[in-house]
Structures are given as structure tokens and as C-alpha cells.
Amino acid sequence: MTSRHKLGDLQLAIMRVLWSRGDAAVSDVHQALLDERGLAPTTIATMLMKMERKGVVAHRAEGRRFVYRPTISEADVRRTMVGDLTERLFAGDAAALVTHLLAEHDASPDELAELRRLIAEAETDTGRADRRSDR
């Protein structure tokens, strides 16, 4: 069963702090986001508690402070959120999403080469799957 992890903007910013650090106290997350967000520590603490109820973070107590860690991976969140974006904006058409990204983003030669490599790899994987299903 695939989990669905939809995160708001602030939740995603908090998760990025946790993914980069592994775990962090409320004060650490607050400090990391202070310049970007300017939020009070209580706002960060409240959001972390909501995120824990949602099952995306967990905490342990170290004295009087709670130290939070992510319980989901960045890849899982990305998969869910890009899947939702593709479904909502492009009616599930991944090629339309990629076409849009290429049209709206000035891709460097290195990025284009990486995309070609990934496409070739996907074609090879599809060919293997087709050969297995023919057996």
C-alpha cells in the first residue's frame, strides 16, 4: 500500500530541515527557518505536533526538549506530491508535465544529457518488462 503524504509549504520547509539534519529540536528548526520565515518558536512547535499526529515526524524527549525526526523519506513525499500535481494539472499525463517543464525551464546541456540517460534507462527497463511478460 502506498502512503500519501501531502505537506503544506511550512511543513515541507520543516521536513527539509529534518531530512538534512536527521533530527532536530524545536529550537534548531526555528533557528534554521528564522531568516526565511520569521516565525515564533511556538508556531514551529505547534506545527511539529500537528505533523506528528499526521505521522510524518516522531519525537523523543531529551530532558525538557523534544527532538524530532522524520518518519517518511523525501522520496516518498516527492512521489506523492508530484503524482498529485501531475493528476490535478495534467490529468495524469506525465509526458505533458515533462513537456511543460522543458518549455518553462532553461535546461542546461548537462540536465538535458541526464534526461536523455534517464529516458534510455526507462526504455531499457520497459523492454525487459515486456520480454518477461511475453514468457
Side-chain angles (χ1 to χ4, degrees), residues 23-26 52 57-69:
D23 62 12
V26 172
E52 186 166 29
V57 300
H59 82 274
R60 70 178 186 280
E62 287 186 359
R64 294 184 48 178
R65 25 182 259 163
F66 284 0
V67 177
Y68 288 87
R69 65 174 175 76

CSV table of all heavy atoms in Angstrom, one decimal, residues 23-26 52 57-69:
chain,number,residue,atom,x,y,z
A,23,ASP,N,17.7,14.7,12.8
A,23,ASP,CA,16.8,15.0,13.8
A,23,ASP,C,17.2,16.4,14.3
A,23,ASP,O,18.2,16.9,14.1
A,23,ASP,CB,16.8,14.0,15.0
A,23,ASP,CG,18.1,13.8,15.7
A,23,ASP,OD1,19.0,14.7,15.5
A,23,ASP,OD2,18.2,12.9,16.5
A,24,ALA,N,16.2,17.0,15.0
A,24,ALA,CA,16.4,18.4,15.5
A,24,ALA,C,15.4,18.8,16.5
A,24,ALA,O,14.2,18.3,16.5
A,24,ALA,CB,16.3,19.4,14.3
A,25,ALA,N,15.8,19.6,17.5
A,25,ALA,CA,14.9,20.1,18.5
A,25,ALA,C,14.1,21.3,17.8
A,25,ALA,O,14.5,21.8,16.8
A,25,ALA,CB,15.7,20.7,19.7
A,26,VAL,N,13.0,21.7,18.5
A,26,VAL,CA,12.2,22.8,18.0
A,26,VAL,C,13.1,24.0,17.8
A,26,VAL,O,13.0,24.7,16.8
A,26,VAL,CB,11.0,23.1,19.0
A,26,VAL,CG1,10.3,24.3,18.6
A,26,VAL,CG2,10.1,21.9,19.0
A,52,GLU,N,3.3,15.4,13.8
A,52,GLU,CA,3.5,14.1,14.5
A,52,GLU,C,2.1,13.4,14.5
A,52,GLU,O,2.1,12.2,14.2
A,52,GLU,CB,4.0,14.3,15.9
A,52,GLU,CG,4.3,13.0,16.6
A,52,GLU,CD,5.1,13.2,17.9
A,52,GLU,OE1,5.0,14.2,18.5
A,52,GLU,OE2,5.8,12.2,18.2
A,57,VAL,N,6.4,12.9,11.4
A,57,VAL,CA,7.6,13.0,12.3
A,57,VAL,C,7.3,12.3,13.6
A,57,VAL,O,6.1,12.0,13.9
A,57,VAL,CB,7.9,14.5,12.6
A,57,VAL,CG1,8.3,15.3,11.3
A,57,VAL,CG2,6.8,15.2,13.4
A,58,ALA,N,8.3,12.0,14.3
A,58,ALA,CA,8.2,11.4,15.7
A,58,ALA,C,9.2,12.2,16.6
A,58,ALA,O,10.1,12.8,16.1
A,58,ALA,CB,8.5,9.9,15.6
A,59,HIS,N,9.0,12.1,17.9
A,59,HIS,CA,9.9,12.8,18.8
A,59,HIS,C,10.4,11.9,19.9
A,59,HIS,O,9.8,10.8,20.2
A,59,HIS,CB,9.2,14.0,19.3
A,59,HIS,CG,8.3,13.7,20.5
A,59,HIS,ND1,7.0,13.4,20.4
A,59,HIS,CD2,8.6,13.7,21.8
A,59,HIS,CE1,6.5,13.2,21.6
A,59,HIS,NE2,7.4,13.4,22.5
A,60,ARG,N,11.4,12.3,20.5
A,60,ARG,CA,11.9,11.7,21.7
A,60,ARG,C,12.2,12.9,22.7
A,60,ARG,O,12.5,14.0,22.2
A,60,ARG,CB,13.2,10.8,21.5
A,60,ARG,CG,14.4,11.6,21.1
A,60,ARG,CD,15.6,10.7,21.0
A,60,ARG,NE,16.8,11.5,20.7
A,60,ARG,CZ,17.2,12.0,19.6
A,60,ARG,NH1,16.5,11.8,18.5
A,60,ARG,NH2,18.3,12.7,19.5
A,61,ALA,N,12.1,12.6,23.9
A,61,ALA,CA,12.4,13.7,24.9
A,61,ALA,C,13.9,13.6,25.3
A,61,ALA,O,14.4,12.5,25.6
A,61,ALA,CB,11.5,13.5,26.1
A,62,GLU,N,14.5,14.7,25.4
A,62,GLU,CA,15.9,14.9,25.9
A,62,GLU,C,15.7,15.9,27.0
A,62,GLU,O,15.8,17.1,26.7
A,62,GLU,CB,16.9,15.3,24.8
A,62,GLU,CG,17.2,14.2,23.9
A,62,GLU,CD,18.3,14.6,22.9
A,62,GLU,OE1,18.8,15.7,22.9
A,62,GLU,OE2,18.6,13.7,22.1
A,63,GLY,N,15.5,15.5,28.2
A,63,GLY,CA,15.3,16.4,29.3
A,63,GLY,C,13.9,17.1,29.0
A,63,GLY,O,12.9,16.4,28.8
A,64,ARG,N,13.9,18.4,28.9
A,64,ARG,CA,12.7,19.2,28.7
A,64,ARG,C,12.4,19.5,27.2
A,64,ARG,O,11.4,20.1,26.9
A,64,ARG,CB,12.7,20.5,29.5
A,64,ARG,CG,12.7,20.2,31.0
A,64,ARG,CD,12.6,21.5,31.8
A,64,ARG,NE,11.6,22.3,31.2
A,64,ARG,CZ,11.3,23.5,31.7
A,64,ARG,NH1,11.9,24.0,32.7
A,64,ARG,NH2,10.3,24.2,31.1
A,65,ARG,N,13.4,19.1,26.4
A,65,ARG,CA,13.1,19.4,25.0
A,65,ARG,C,12.8,18.2,24.2
A,65,ARG,O,13.2,17.0,24.5
A,65,ARG,CB,14.3,20.1,24.3
A,65,ARG,CG,15.7,19.9,24.8
A,65,ARG,CD,16.7,20.6,24.1
A,65,ARG,NE,17.4,19.7,23.2
A,65,ARG,CZ,18.2,20.1,22.2
A,65,ARG,NH1,18.4,21.4,22.0
A,65,ARG,NH2,18.8,19.2,21.5
A,66,PHE,N,12.0,18.4,23.2
A,66,PHE,CA,11.6,17.3,22.2
A,66,PHE,C,12.5,17.4,21.0
A,66,PHE,O,12.7,18.5,20.5
A,66,PHE,CB,10.1,17.5,21.8
A,66,PHE,CG,9.1,17.0,22.8
A,66,PHE,CD1,9.5,16.6,24.0
A,66,PHE,CD2,7.8,17.1,22.5
A,66,PHE,CE1,8.5,16.2,25.0
A,66,PHE,CE2,6.8,16.7,23.4
A,66,PHE,CZ,7.2,16.2,24.6
A,67,VAL,N,13.0,16.3,20.6
A,67,VAL,CA,13.9,16.2,19.4
A,67,VAL,C,13.1,15.4,18.4
A,67,VAL,O,12.7,14.3,18.6
A,67,VAL,CB,15.2,15.5,19.7
A,67,VAL,CG1,16.0,15.4,18.5
A,67,VAL,CG2,16.0,16.3,20.8
A,68,TYR,N,12.8,16.0,17.2
A,68,TYR,CA,12.0,15.4,16.2
A,68,TYR,C,12.9,14.8,15.1
A,68,TYR,O,14.0,15.3,14.8
A,68,TYR,CB,11.1,16.5,15.6
A,68,TYR,CG,10.0,16.9,16.5
A,68,TYR,CD1,10.2,17.9,17.4
A,68,TYR,CD2,8.8,16.3,16.5
A,68,TYR,CE1,9.2,18.3,18.3
A,68,TYR,CE2,7.7,16.6,17.3
A,68,TYR,CZ,7.9,17.6,18.3
A,68,TYR,OH,6.9,18.0,19.1
A,69,ARG,N,12.3,13.8,14.5
A,69,ARG,CA,13.0,13.1,13.4
A,69,ARG,C,11.9,12.8,12.3
A,69,ARG,O,10.7,12.6,12.7
A,69,ARG,CB,13.7,11.8,13.8
A,69,ARG,CG,12.8,10.8,14.3
A,69,ARG,CD,13.5,9.4,14.6
A,69,ARG,NE,12.6,8.5,15.2
A,69,ARG,CZ,11.7,7.8,14.5
A,69,ARG,NH1,11.5,8.0,13.2
A,69,ARG,NH2,10.9,7.0,15.1
